[in-house]
């Protein structure tokens, strides 16, 4: 049988969590390596690229055909992919970012037997509810659509009436969305969590987020003061989000007994491999509170209920409810 007659399973990811989610989906849906194509679709910065390269190797994608859509050659490579896949039979199409125009090109421009959305952080929750309220809104402008057409990319498909979600969040199936929930079995096996050793002094982790606008500096100081008050004798490690600036954080958190750390690996991997003894993690609404709790169910996770920032988060009450459902504690400023 010719390679081009074998149905493909195509995975599109732009962030470390999306790639982790694609990995779990590849296992859950039983996709053999020789039927898979992984598309790394324009990561936002070098830190993201580095983390995804690490995950691709660690989670077993090194034997899978992979296409990188870098910023410098993005449109050229995108046109190449479109032409090469236009005649292929695509069994399943796994999409990481449901609200990205880049990812939309794939699920509206390629024919597939099944479209499956995998996790993209708490944006998954936002999009799940948006689908029920307004359907799937296009992010591709008329001008961009015309440009794509010139490149030979024709957006001829519409999203199916019933969307499949593969997620770690406790979302319910409905007439619009069919949900399949997982708890990271591939990640657990890859990093041998049962053998993880704890050593050294107890630590408290704080998960950074690049949100808040003008309110961010003061609210971050208030959140950190809250954590210090709850753990006065414990060293606190601030894990930077890949979009945060160390210079800015050092200015905002000056005076707090905090170590600011750029892990260099996704936080889930860092906690699994570091061997350090984290007694708790705190954040406002970082997705990692959720993923870490699912991967390390015995570890204390605390969501800081910040009423100033909560008004900026769509479906905040639903998100907090889901945190509580899996055992993440809520602590109020």
């Amino acid at each position: 049988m010719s390679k081009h007659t074998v149905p493909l399973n195509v995975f599109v990811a732009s962030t470390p969590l999306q790639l982790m989610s694609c990995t779990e989906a590849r296992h859950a849906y039983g996709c053999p390596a020789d039927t898979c194509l992984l598309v790394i679709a324009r990561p936002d910065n070098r830190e993201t690229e580095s983390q995804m390269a690490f995950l691709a190797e660690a989670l077993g994608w090194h034997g899978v055909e992979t296409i990188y859509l870098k910023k410098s050659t993005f449109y050229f490579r995108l046109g190449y992919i479109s032409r090469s896949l236009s005649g292929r039979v695509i069994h399943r199409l796994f999409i990481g970012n449901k609200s990205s125009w880049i990812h939309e090109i794939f699920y509206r421009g390629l024919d597939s037997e099944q479209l499956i959305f995998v996790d993209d952080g708490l944006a998954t929750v936002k999009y799940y509810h948006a689908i029920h309220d307004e359907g799937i809104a296009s992010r591709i402008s008329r001008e961009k659509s015309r440009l794509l057409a010139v490149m030979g990319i024709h957006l001829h498909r519409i999203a199916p009436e019933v969307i499949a979600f593969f997620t770690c969040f406790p979302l319910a199936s409905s007439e619009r969305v069919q949900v399949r929930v997982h708890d990271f079995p591939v990640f657990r096996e890859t990093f041998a969590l049962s053998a993880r050793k704890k050593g050294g002094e107890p630590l408290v982790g704080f998960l950074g987020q690049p949100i808040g606008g003008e309110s961010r500096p003061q609210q971050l100081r208030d959140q950190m003061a809250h954590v210090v008050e709850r753990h006065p004798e414990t060293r606190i490690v601030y894990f930077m989000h890949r979009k945060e600036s160390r210079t800015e954080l050092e200015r905002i958190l000056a005076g707090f007994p905090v170590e600011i750390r750029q892990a260099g690996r996704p936080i889930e991997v860092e906690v699994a491999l570091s061997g350090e003894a984290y007694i708790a993690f705190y954040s406002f609404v970082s997705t990692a509170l959720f993923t870490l709790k699912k991967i390390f169910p015995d570890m204390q996770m605390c969501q800081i209920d910040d009423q100033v920032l909560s008004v900026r988060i769509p479906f905040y009450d639903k998100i907090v409810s889901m945190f509580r459902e899996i055992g993440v504690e809520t602590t109020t400023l």
Side-chain angles (χ1 to χ4, degrees), residues 99-117:
S99 59
S100 163
W101 67 269
I102 295 173
H103 289 231
E104 184 182 344
I105 290 171
F106 286 87
Y107 67 79
R108 289 189 56 206
L110 297 176
D111 293 317
S112 63
E113 296 173 359
Q114 186 177 16
L115 171 64
I116 301 169
F117 288 150

Side-chain angles (χ1 to χ4, degrees), residues 94-145:
F94 298 88
I95 295 293
N97 190 335
K98 292 158 281 296
S99 59
S100 163
W101 67 269
I102 295 173
H103 289 231
E104 184 182 344
I105 290 171
F106 286 87
Y107 67 79
R108 289 189 56 206
L110 297 176
D111 293 317
S112 63
E113 296 173 359
Q114 186 177 16
L115 171 64
I116 301 169
F117 288 150
V118 302
D119 277 336
D120 181 31
L122 290 174
T124 300
V125 180
K126 173 183 175 181
Y127 215 64
Y128 170 87
H129 290 287
I131 286 174
H132 289 88
D133 294 340
E134 60 190 46
I136 296 183
S138 176
R139 299 300 179 94
I140 299 177
S141 65
R142 290 183 179 180
E143 293 75 13
K144 193 159 290 178
S145 183

Side-chain angles (χ1 to χ4, degrees), residues 191 196-200 203 239 261 263 265 267-278 281 296 299:
F191 296 105
R196 193 173 69 93
K197 297 180 180 179
K198 299 179 181 179
L203 301 174
F239 286 97
R261 186 182 299 180
R265 301 180 290 195
I267 186 63
E268 297 85 359
V269 176
E270 182 67 19
V271 175
L273 299 182
S274 69
E276 294 179 303
Y278 291 97
F281 273 89
F296 308 98
M299 191 175 294

Side-chain angles (χ1 to χ4, degrees), residues 247-262:
T247 300
E248 180 189 33
L249 287 172
E250 289 174 344
R251 176 177 54 80
I252 294 173
L253 298 176
F256 287 103
V258 176
E259 174 193 346
I260 299 173
R261 186 182 299 180
Q262 181 76 67

Side-chain angles (χ1 to χ4, degrees), residues 144-158:
K144 193 159 290 178
S145 183
R146 285 196 290 266
L147 171 62
L148 294 172
V150 171
M151 297 168 55
I153 301 173
H154 299 283
L155 306 179
H156 61 284
R157 300 201 72 195
I158 59 174

